[in-house]
């Protein structure tokens, strides 16, 4: 199931209004200008995972609640079979498959990510994202160029990265084909979302 951007944006707006949080406060919490935030909250622009994560943190909910309108409810364990999960398509064709959307009080968000190979990205600066916590990325297939502030690494299947995701990081697929990797986004303990 692919979340509808307008529905997700509507949930963000409704929660913000219920909690009496201004758009300006949300803009500051998400690192956006007021105009950028308003465009995203209206559903007129795509919603990056980093934006959704920061909204969820400010609103005090699990990011899955923003995406689906439901609270994760499993407390012991969850099993997600191959090919299953919550599909999220974001950022220039990147596909994220959340592999544990129903587990409550997660300390980490596990995603199977497919980064598309785009010829126009190969010689351009890599867009950098920032979100609190740490991230672990394990390359399953394909090749990736990873940028971390002013460092660049070339990776291939079997390589693993772990980094402070509060600092600028980004990646693109290289080698003429998509790159598939397991991304585990770990929240700081103080940021655990119930």
């Amino acid at each position: 199931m692919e979340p509808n951007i307008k529905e997700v944006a509507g949930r963000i707006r409704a929660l913000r209004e219920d909690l009496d949080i201004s758009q300006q406060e949300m803009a500051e919490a998400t690192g956006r200008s007021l105009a950028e935030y308003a465009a995203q909250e209206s559903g007129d622009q795509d919603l990056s995972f980093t934006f959704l994560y920061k909204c969820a943190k400010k609103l005090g909910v699990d990011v899955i609640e923003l995406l689906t309108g439901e609270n994760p409810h499993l407390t012991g364990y969850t099993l997600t079979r191959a090919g299953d999960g919550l599909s999220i398509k974001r950022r220039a064709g990147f596909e994220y498959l959340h592999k544990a959307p129903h587990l409550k009080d997660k300390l980490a968000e596990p995603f199977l990510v497919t980064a598309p190979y785009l010829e126009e990205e190969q010689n351009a600066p890599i867009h950098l994202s920032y979100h609190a916590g740490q991230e672990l990325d394990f390359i399953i297939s394909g090749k990736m160029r990873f940028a971390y502030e002013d460092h660049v690494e070339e990776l291939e299947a079997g390589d693993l990265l772990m980094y402070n995701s509060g600092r600028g990081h980004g990646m693109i697929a290289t080698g003429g084909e998509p790159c598939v990797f397991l991304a585990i986004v770990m929240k700081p303990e103080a940021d655990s979302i119930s």
Side-chain angles (χ1 to χ4, degrees), residues 2-12 39-47 52 66 89-90:
E2 171 73 23
N4 178 294
I5 292 173
K6 291 279 189 189
E7 290 175 6
V8 174
R11 282 191 278 278
I12 292 169
Q40 289 189 299
E41 185 185 270
S42 70
D44 292 337
Q45 289 184 359
D46 197 10
L47 310 174
L52 292 169
L66 295 180
K89 290 180 172 51
R90 298 286 174 266

Side-chain angles (χ1 to χ4, degrees), residues 12 24 36 41 45 47 49-50 81 86 89 91 95 98 115 121 132 139 145 147 151 158 168 185:
I12 292 169
Q24 183 61 48
E36 290 169 332
E41 185 185 270
Q45 289 184 359
L47 310 174
F49 179 75
T50 300
R81 299 285 184 189
L86 178 63
K89 290 180 172 51
R91 199 184 120 212
E95 293 183 23
H98 196 298
E121 290 182 334
I139 312 305
R145 181 171 301 130
H151 302 279
V185 178

Side-chain angles (χ1 to χ4, degrees), residues 102-116:
H102 303 296
L103 186 66
K104 186 176 181 176
D105 299 327
K106 290 181 288 297
L107 300 178
E109 303 286 346
F111 296 93
L112 184 61
V113 182
T114 302

Side-chain angles (χ1 to χ4, degrees), residues 28-67:
E28 290 168 9
T30 58
R32 309 260 185 309
S33 70
L34 180 57
E36 290 169 332
Y37 176 81
Q40 289 189 299
E41 185 185 270
S42 70
D44 292 337
Q45 289 184 359
D46 197 10
L47 310 174
S48 70
F49 179 75
T50 300
F51 174 79
L52 292 169
Y53 176 79
K54 289 178 178 180
C55 284
K57 180 180 174 195
K58 179 70 176 173
L59 297 169
V61 299
D62 190 295
V63 71
I64 299 304
E65 186 174 345
L66 295 180
L67 292 169

Side-chain angles (χ1 to χ4, degrees), residues 15-163:
L15 278 168
R16 178 185 62 75
E17 290 172 350
D18 285 350
L19 295 169
D20 199 26
I21 298 173
S22 71
Q23 281 193 334
Q24 183 61 48
E25 290 174 281
M26 289 298 290
E28 290 168 9
T30 58
R32 309 260 185 309
S33 70
L34 180 57
E36 290 169 332
Y37 176 81
Q40 289 189 299
E41 185 185 270
S42 70
D44 292 337
Q45 289 184 359
D46 197 10
L47 310 174
S48 70
F49 179 75
T50 300
F51 174 79
L52 292 169
Y53 176 79
K54 289 178 178 180
C55 284
K57 180 180 174 195
K58 179 70 176 173
L59 297 169
V61 299
D62 190 295
V63 71
I64 299 304
E65 186 174 345
L66 295 180
L67 292 169
T68 66
E70 299 176 14
N71 274 318
H73 53 278
L74 298 176
T75 58
Y77 76 96
T78 183
L79 170 64
T80 306
R81 299 285 184 189
D84 289 341
L86 178 63
S87 177
I88 308 164
K89 290 180 172 51
R90 298 286 174 266
R91 199 184 120 212
F94 271 60
E95 293 183 23
Y96 296 81
L97 189 60
H98 196 298
K99 296 301 285 183
H102 303 296
L103 186 66
K104 186 176 181 176
D105 299 327
K106 290 181 288 297
L107 300 178
E109 303 286 346
F111 296 93
L112 184 61
V113 182
T114 302
Y117 175 82
L118 300 171
E119 185 64 42
E120 62 271 17
E121 290 182 334
Q122 300 307 301
N123 295 313
I126 296 175
H127 170 76
L128 301 181
S129 296
Y130 306 79
H131 53 88
Q134 295 180 338
E135 187 166 332
L136 180 146
D137 296 336
F138 178 78
I139 312 305
I140 296 169
S141 66
K143 295 181 180 181
M144 171 194 290
R145 181 171 301 130
F146 173 77
Y148 188 80
E149 296 181 331
D150 59 348
H151 302 279
V152 175
E153 300 287 347
E154 301 289 336
L155 301 125
E156 57 188 45
D159 290 346
L160 181 140
L161 287 163
M162 188 165 178
Y163 50 93

